[in-house]
């Protein structure tokens, strides 16, 4: 598998760098070390900053910020020679407009919110509550409830949901081996399991190696909508074939609960997993027939992993952990896993107590991560983290929920805190950034779903990526893509 790429120029004058060994390292004030020579930082800047030609034509200075007005003027003057904005130009402009104004309420229920996510096109928003409810909101119609689902056969809570790429089906999981699938194409708003509509059960326990009842923590549709991948409490990863309507494979993946799984890219060949054994693993399904073992292991976390989000390129991903850090990984640094030292803070349980202060800056003896981001709090529940959208920000940010009731936004390259959004009363378990617009939605155990926007406007915007009428601000963001 070839990984060779030419490296674009990267200006690192703004950083305090020191060269040692074979890589340049960036040290930050709180003691974290960034491998700034890693390709991800070059790629992030390449995809989220104007090209040298655009800078030269507009301003001439390498690092000075360029205003939106000057970027638009440069486009009209065709300084790029393309007659339009590149995707990096769009990301640079839109990436300056962070969704930090608000909050404005979307909904509130007397139940903890466990999951909240935009659909891939941003037209729908899914929220799952502990009290057996899932609501699908139509973002383009003023957040109207398009589907109000009452789930069935739950244990404790809805642990995860996933919307198919074509938005026709939604699956939801719980602490049971049965995953239910809902047809989103029906006309009825109310979808009460097996009363108003059938919620077909997909049995993930139908495998010869399954010996006991288990729960599912994480579930994802493949990019073609034909398969589901799930992480479970029996330390395994499951793959379900929706076309054949049967379990395709099960493989023991970790020594503790598999809290999170994610596809590495659109091919669906590679899967990332994270567990309470503190390890992130990479699985290449093309090797399962002969090996049925992880393609590689990445060590660096001191406590269990709560969530993984893929960069989408098959090389990079981030993980949130109970050791109170988000780590950025390059799978080309993974080991075979035969001799991976495990480090665990004994006697501490993230569900019941604060993280020991003396452990906050401990280092793993074999840390393979590219960078670490800290400041948020990962306690009580499997809090989620994500890259910001590719189309509107060039994935230049990382954002996460937090036990301290806030949403944190970090700069990928510098690691700096860019924003801290606070309005909730209890843990923010999940949050989601609109794929095209500066709109972020946070959801909390206080039962509230809240939106944050730029600009600060208490009107409900039509936030579709299609060209149509709307507020002046909406038209300004749409014109980036013309």
């Amino acid at each position: 598998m070839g990984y060779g790429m030419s490296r674009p120029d990267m200006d690192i004058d703004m950083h305090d760098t020191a060269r040692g060994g074979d890589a340049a390292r960036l040290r930050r004030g709180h003691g974290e070390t960034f491998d700034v020579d890693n390709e991800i930082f070059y790629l992030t800047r390449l995809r989220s900053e104007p090209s040298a030609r655009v800078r030269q034509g507009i301003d001439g200075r390498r690092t000075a910020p360029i205003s939106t007005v000057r970027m638009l003027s440069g486009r009209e003057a065709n300084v790029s020679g393309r007659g339009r904005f590149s995707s990096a130009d769009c990301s640079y402009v839109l990436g300056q407009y962070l969704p930090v104004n608000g909050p404005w309420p979307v909904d509130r229920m007397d139940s903890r919110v466990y999951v909240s996510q935009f659909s891939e096109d941003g037209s729908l928003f899914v929220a799952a509550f502990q009290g057996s409810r899932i609501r699908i909101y139509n973002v383009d119609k003023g957040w109207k409830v398009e589907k109000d689902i009452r789930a069935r056969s739950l244990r404790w809570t809805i642990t995860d949901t996933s919307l198919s790429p074509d938005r026709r089906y939604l699956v939801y999981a719980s602490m049971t081996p049965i995953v239910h699938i809902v047809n989103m194409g029906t006309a009825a708003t109310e979808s009460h399991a097996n009363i108003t509509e059938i919620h077909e059960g997909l049995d993930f326990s139908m495998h010869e190696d399954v010996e006991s009842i288990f729960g599912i923590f994480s579930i994802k549709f493949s990019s073609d909508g034909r398969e589901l991948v799930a992480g479970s409490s029996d330390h395994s990863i499951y793959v379900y074939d929706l076309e054949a309507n049967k379990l395709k494979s099960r493989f023991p993946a970790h020594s503790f609960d598999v809290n999170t799984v994610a596809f590495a890219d659109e091919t669906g060949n590679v899967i990332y997993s994270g567990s309470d054994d503190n390890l992130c693993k990479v699985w290449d399904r093309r090797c399962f027939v002969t090996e049925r073992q992880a393609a590689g292991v990445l060590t660096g976390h001191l406590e269990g992993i709560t969530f993984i989000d893929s960069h989408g390129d098959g090389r990079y991903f981030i993980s949130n952990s109970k050791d109170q850090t988000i780590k950025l990984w390059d799978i080309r640094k993974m080991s075979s896993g035969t001799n991976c030292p495990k480090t665990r803070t004994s006697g501490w349980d993230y569900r019941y107590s604060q993280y020991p202060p003396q452990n906050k800056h401990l280092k793993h003896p074999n840390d393979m991560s590219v960078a670490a981001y800290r400041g948020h709090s990962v306690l009580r529940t499997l809090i989620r983290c994500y890259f910001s959208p590719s189309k509107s920000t060039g994935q230049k940010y990382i954002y996460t929920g937090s036990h301290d009731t806030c949403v944190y936004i970090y700069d990928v390259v510098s690691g700096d805190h860019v924003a801290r959004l606070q309005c909730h009363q209890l843990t923010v378990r999940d949050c989601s950034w609109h794929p095209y617009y500066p709109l972020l939605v946070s959801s909390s155990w206080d039962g509230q779903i809240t939106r944050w926007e730029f600009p600060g406007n208490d009107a409900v915007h039509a936030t579709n990526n299609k060209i149509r009428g709307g507020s002046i601000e909406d038209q300004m963001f749409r014109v980036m893509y013309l």
Side-chain angles (χ1 to χ4, degrees):
M1 185 180 295
Y3 289 112
M5 293 184 67
S6 60
R7 178 172 294 157
D9 290 335
M10 176 182 176
D11 178 29
I12 57 174
D13 292 341
M14 66 176 67
H15 301 312
D16 177 19
T17 61
R19 291 192 175 270
D22 25 325
R25 310 291 289 184
L26 165 64
R27 292 193 175 274
R28 297 169 57 230
H30 56 58
E32 298 297 343
T33 304
F34 277 34
D35 180 1
V36 296
D37 205 36
N38 191 283
E39 197 172 70
I40 183 64
F41 300 119
Y42 292 86
L43 291 174
T44 299
R45 287 193 162 184
L46 180 68
R47 294 168 179 170
S48 62
E49 294 188 356
S51 67
R53 182 172 182 176
V54 170
R55 279 194 175 276
Q56 186 65 34
I58 294 176
D59 187 277
R61 291 173 291 177
R62 257 185 112 182
T63 59
I66 304 175
S67 71
T68 300
V69 171
R70 298 190 72 182
M71 285 291 292
L72 290 170
S73 297
R75 186 186 67 174
E76 296 306 307
N78 195 22
V79 297
S80 68
R82 291 185 296 264
R84 59 182 176 82
F85 275 155
S86 67
S87 60
D89 294 335
C90 292
S91 296
Y92 177 74
V93 173
L94 294 178
Q96 298 180 70
Y97 297 93
L98 292 176
V100 297
N101 294 317
W104 291 282
V106 172
D107 201 356
R108 181 170 187 171
M109 296 187 70
D110 295 328
S111 181
R112 294 173 174 176
V113 192
Y114 267 72
V115 181
S116 60
Q117 283 297 296
F118 281 106
S119 60
E120 288 185 8
D121 67 348
S123 63
L124 301 177
F125 183 81
V126 181
F129 301 81
Q130 187 176 19
S132 305
R133 298 287 288 277
I134 304 170
R135 282 187 167 177
I136 316 296
Y137 304 87
N138 191 316
V139 180
D140 301 326
K141 295 182 179 178
W143 297 87
K144 176 185 177 183
V145 176
E146 187 162 295
K147 205 80 170 174
D148 194 351
I149 300 168
R150 293 182 181 271
R152 61 171 298 203
S153 305
L154 296 188
R155 290 184 63 190
W156 177 244
T157 184
I158 296 168
T159 53
D160 203 5
T161 66
S162 185
L163 193 63
S164 64
D166 60 7
R167 304 182 303 282
R168 293 179 59 192
Y169 298 98
L170 178 133
V171 293
Y172 60 87
S174 182
M175 293 305 295
T176 76
I178 307 297
V179 171
H180 292 91
I181 186 165
V182 181
N183 186 346
M184 295 286 292
T186 60
T189 300
E190 295 290 330
S191 180
H192 195 164
N194 295 352
I195 295 179
T196 63
E197 292 183 343
I198 299 298
H199 294 186
E200 183 182 356
L202 312 177
D203 192 349
F204 279 61
S205 66
M206 299 300 290
H207 192 279
E208 58 185 11
D209 295 335
V210 174
E211 298 178 352
S212 60
I213 299 299
F214 58 88
I216 292 176
F217 290 109
S218 176
I219 191 159
K220 297 287 187 297
F221 268 102
S222 60
S223 61
D224 60 10
R226 296 178 179 179
E227 292 181 328
L228 295 169
V229 62
S232 71
S233 63
D234 70 345
H235 316 164
S236 301
I237 295 174
Y238 290 81
V239 179
Y240 196 96
D241 187 328
L242 290 169
E243 289 189 330
N245 195 24
K246 67 178 183 180
L247 190 67
K248 187 174 184 178
S249 61
R250 170 193 182 268
F251 45 99
H254 292 267
S255 56
F256 288 92
D257 294 348
V258 180
N259 294 327
T260 177
V261 289
F263 286 104
D265 56 24
E266 292 184 351
T267 67
N269 291 324
V270 178
I271 297 170
Y272 303 141
S273 64
S275 167
D276 276 336
D277 62 10
N278 309 350
L279 300 177
C280 295
K281 292 188 177 183
V282 180
W283 305 86
D284 191 333
R285 301 170 65 194
R286 295 164 293 189
C287 303
F288 279 178
V289 175
T290 56
E291 297 182 16
R292 295 191 63 80
Q293 66 182 16
V297 179
L298 290 157
T299 59
H301 280 302
L302 300 173
E303 296 289 343
I305 287 86
T306 64
F307 196 75
I308 282 175
D309 186 45
S310 173
H311 197 255
D313 54 10
R315 296 179 183 178
Y316 300 99
F317 67 92
I318 54 173
S319 58
N320 217 355
S321 172
K322 300 171 188 178
D323 66 11
Q324 315 304 301
T325 66
I326 294 171
K327 286 186 179 287
L328 173 62
W329 307 92
D330 180 344
I331 69 169
R332 293 168 292 183
K333 299 178 70 173
M334 65 189 180
S335 72
S336 64
T338 54
N339 292 301
C340 288
K342 296 180 182 178
T343 304
R344 191 173 181 85
T345 307
S346 60
W348 177 74
D349 191 324
Y350 89 126
R351 295 172 296 177
Y352 307 118
S353 60
Q354 298 293 319
Y355 193 62
Q358 67 271 20
N359 295 337
K360 285 188 176 180
H361 296 291
L362 291 178
K363 301 292 184 181
H364 193 287
N366 189 27
D367 190 351
M368 302 173 184
S369 65
V370 174
Y373 308 83
R374 66 172 73 240
H376 61 293
S377 174
V378 183
L379 299 170
R380 308 295 186 270
T381 187
L382 303 177
I383 291 172
R384 302 179 168 200
C385 65
Y386 304 92
F387 287 102
S388 62
S390 174
K391 291 182 174 63
S392 61
T393 70
Q395 294 178 300
K396 68 182 294 185
Y397 303 113
I398 290 170
Y399 64 104
T400 178
S402 179
H403 174 64
D404 66 4
T405 74
C406 301
V407 174
Y408 286 77
I409 302 176
Y410 300 97
D411 184 288
V412 168
V413 176
S414 70
D416 293 337
H417 294 180
V418 176
R420 179 173 176 265
L421 312 180
Q422 184 173 17
C423 75
H424 292 285
Q425 303 300 312
L426 295 173
T427 302
V428 177
R429 189 179 193 271
D430 205 357
C431 45
S432 187
W433 195 316
H434 192 280
Y436 297 100
Y437 290 89
L439 167 65
L440 186 148
V441 177
S442 58
S443 59
S444 168
W445 274 13
D446 61 11
Q448 293 189 77
I449 301 173
T450 302
R451 60 185 172 92
W452 306 82
E453 300 184 13
F454 187 97
N457 187 341
D458 59 3
V460 178
H461 298 313
T463 51
N464 197 356
N465 55 317
K466 298 178 181 178
I467 304 300
R468 66 184 181 201
S471 68
I472 294 174
E473 294 85 356
D474 282 341
Q475 293 176 37
M476 181 186 75
F477 292 122
R478 288 192 193 97
V479 82
M480 299 297 105
Y481 299 99
L482 290 177

